[in-house]
């Protein structure tokens, strides 16, 4: 059943996602090769900032671009970089388990002599990553991008409180199912425990659900690539076929939509997304998704760019927009900003 559902779902998935799948393997190979040659090549040549002395050069490190959410972050960064006459060097680690790769990329950016580094961290507190960040930040300002990383060495972190991302969904369900109403069940499909956002998200969701009749039966965790989240969705629905609500990351909900489209599911659960991607936006508009937390990743990207080009290091603070709840059928959904359909950043 899993293999058949996977083939059917991939045939239905968006052109953008198929493009990501086609390109990702090659990029991953190039990343591996670059790491293998790092010791011999990274010290060669003049610093990047010396080669482009007329403008600032920034490194952008992200977990991956397998999730459409990060495409909106990348596009927002590029838009603001053009306005500020800044050159961007994009690196993707390959996933939330690719800590060694991100550490190597952080060291590479420092060796290149860039003016600042924006890091969407793959781990919130692993000592290998935080120690490297502390070493790099002694000479290069480092700014946290979206994901939490617990380090006093950051010049600032641009991002929202992910506790609120979960809480806003929990209160939405609590209002639908207050104490005394018919009991309801839910499962949560989310990212890996080591990432900086999953713990606060779960805590906020549970706090928001307090006083409701909704019970979280199970939590499933994996990297937020579509294939990994598809496996979570299949597993969750196999274990809990009668669940009332499926709450999940954007790729998890996209995977579930594909599964339901591939076979009849008259009693399928209602779905809520813990953040917004292109697919979640469309699914809110057509009613496939009931609600989603929205933290405006493109706006966060612009804030991060402005912070990196203007702030003095050593003034650590957290900056981010207000979290909003988006509901199915909302007339303003068409105005929600996301990156263009064919956008994909140029990677180093």
């Amino acid at each position: 059943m899993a293999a058949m559902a996977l083939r059917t779902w991939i045939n239905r998935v968006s052109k953008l996602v198929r493009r990501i799948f086609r390109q990702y393997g090659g990029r991953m190979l190039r990343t591996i090769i670059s790491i293998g040659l790092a010791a011999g090549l990274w010290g060669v040549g003049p610093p990047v900032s010396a080669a482009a002395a007329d403008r600032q050069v920034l490194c952008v490190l992200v977990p991956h671009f397998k999730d459409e959410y990060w495409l909106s972050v990348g596009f927002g960064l590029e838009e603001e970089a053009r306005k500020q006459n800044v050159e961007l060097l994009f690196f993707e680690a390959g996933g939330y388990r690719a800590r060694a790769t991100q550490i190597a990329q952080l060291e590479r950016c420092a060796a290149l002599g860039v003016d600042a580094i924006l890091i969407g961290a793959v781990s919130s507190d692993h000592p290998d990553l935080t120690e490297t960040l502390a070493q790099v930040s002694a000479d290069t300002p480092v700014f946290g991008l979206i994901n939490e990383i617990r380090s006093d060495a950051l010049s600032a972190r641009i991002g929202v409180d992910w506790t609120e991302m979960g809480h806003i969904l929990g209160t939405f369900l609590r209002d639908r199912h207050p104490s005394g109403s018919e009991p309801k069940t839910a499962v949560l499909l989310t990212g890996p425990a080591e990432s900086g956002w999953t713990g606060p998200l779960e805590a906020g969701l549970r706090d928001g659900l307090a006083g409701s009749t909704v019970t979280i039966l199970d939590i499933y965790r994996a990297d937020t690539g579509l294939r990994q989240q598809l496996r979570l969705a299949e597993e969750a629905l196999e274990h809990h076929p009668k669940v009332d609500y499926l709450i999940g990351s954007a790729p998890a909900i996209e995977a579930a939509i594909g599964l339901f489209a591939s076979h009849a599911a008259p009693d399928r659960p209602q779905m809520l997304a813990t953040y917004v991607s292109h697919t979640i936006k469309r699914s809110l508009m057509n009613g496939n998704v009931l609600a989603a937390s929205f933290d405006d990743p493109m706006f966060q990207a612009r804030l991060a760019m402005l912070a990196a080009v203007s702030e003095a290091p050593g003034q650590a603070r957290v900056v981010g927009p207000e979290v909003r709840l988006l509901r199915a059928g909302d007339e303003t959904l068409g105005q929600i900003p996301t990156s263009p359909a064919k956008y994909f950043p140029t990677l180093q």
Side-chain angles (χ1 to χ4, degrees):
M1 176 268 187
M4 182 178 298
L6 175 60
R7 288 193 298 269
T8 303
W9 173 72
I10 290 177
N11 287 334
R12 293 175 180 269
V13 81
S14 66
K15 292 181 180 178
L16 172 62
V17 173
R18 292 201 301 271
R19 180 166 174 258
I20 292 172
F21 283 162
R22 288 198 305 271
Q23 296 187 13
Y24 197 76
R27 288 196 169 88
M28 196 64 179
L29 178 61
R30 289 195 294 274
T31 299
I32 293 169
I33 293 171
S34 68
I35 292 170
L37 298 176
L41 296 180
W42 287 355
V44 177
V48 171
S49 54
D54 58 327
R55 58 178 175 170
Q56 294 188 56
V57 180
L58 274 59
C59 268
V60 178
L61 278 56
V62 304
H64 56 65
F65 286 109
K66 295 181 286 186
D67 185 340
E68 294 173 334
Y69 177 97
W70 285 102
L71 292 175
S72 290
V73 174
F75 185 74
L77 288 170
E78 289 203 36
E79 274 199 320
E80 192 61 39
R82 282 191 290 271
K83 296 177 183 177
Q84 302 298 326
N85 192 30
V86 170
E87 180 181 351
L88 296 181
L89 305 177
F90 280 99
F91 296 82
E92 63 171 351
Y96 280 96
R97 301 271 160 77
R99 184 179 62 253
T101 301
Q102 189 165 78
I103 289 171
Q105 292 170 344
L106 189 59
E107 292 172 335
R108 180 182 180 185
C109 288
L112 288 172
V114 297
D115 295 286
I117 299 170
L118 297 170
I119 180 170
V122 299
S123 172
S124 63
D125 57 3
H126 194 283
D128 290 351
L129 181 58
T130 56
E131 288 170 12
T132 303
L133 191 154
Q135 294 167 7
V136 168
S137 67
D139 297 310
T140 307
V142 182
F143 295 82
L145 177 65
I146 309 296
N147 290 348
E148 179 184 17
I149 182 166
R150 296 167 197 153
S151 172
D152 294 334
L154 290 176
S155 293
R157 182 175 78 83
I158 292 76
V160 302
D161 182 351
W162 277 78
T163 303
E164 182 59 24
M165 294 286 279
H167 190 270
I168 202 169
L169 289 179
T171 55
F172 170 75
L173 290 176
R174 184 184 63 197
D175 291 343
R176 287 173 65 92
H177 308 287
S179 178
S181 61
E182 180 183 357
K184 297 292 181 180
T185 58
V187 294
L188 174 62
L189 313 179
T190 190
E194 59 265 36
S195 66
W197 54 274
T198 56
L201 172 74
E202 180 186 341
L205 176 64
R206 291 188 182 278
D207 185 60
L209 287 172
S212 76
T213 60
V214 179
T215 300
I216 298 177
L217 299 177
D218 224 336
I219 298 177
Y220 297 83
R221 298 180 175 88
D223 199 7
T224 48
L226 283 163
R227 293 182 184 274
Q228 296 94 324
Q229 294 286 303
L230 171 63
R231 287 194 290 270
L232 288 192
E234 290 182 316
E235 184 179 356
L237 293 170
E238 181 179 350
H239 293 166
H240 306 286
K242 300 297 184 182
V243 71
D244 296 301
Y245 290 103
L246 201 62
I247 306 170
S249 70
I253 298 303
E254 179 172 352
I257 292 170
L259 286 175
F260 295 139
S262 67
H263 63 277
D267 298 324
R268 75 182 194 181
Q270 292 186 290
M271 293 180 284
L272 299 92
T274 56
Y275 56 91
V276 172
S277 66
H278 305 63
T279 301
I280 297 304
K281 174 183 172 180
R282 291 193 298 269
S283 299
L284 286 164
M285 295 173 74
N286 65 28
N288 278 334
V289 171
L290 182 63
S293 305
F294 181 59
D295 60 342
D296 202 338
M298 285 184 59
F299 181 62
Q300 289 188 71
R302 290 195 291 272
L303 288 177
M305 178 59 56
L306 291 172
V309 299
S310 63
E311 286 202 19
Q315 300 179 359
R317 59 194 181 95
V318 178
V319 179
E322 181 181 357
V323 173
R324 294 168 52 195
L325 179 73
L326 304 182
R327 303 169 187 251
D330 191 323
E331 293 181 356
T332 64
L333 289 171
Q335 302 170 19
I336 297 300
T338 55
S339 62
K342 294 183 179 180
Y343 170 76
F344 202 96
T346 300
L347 302 179
Q348 300 300 305

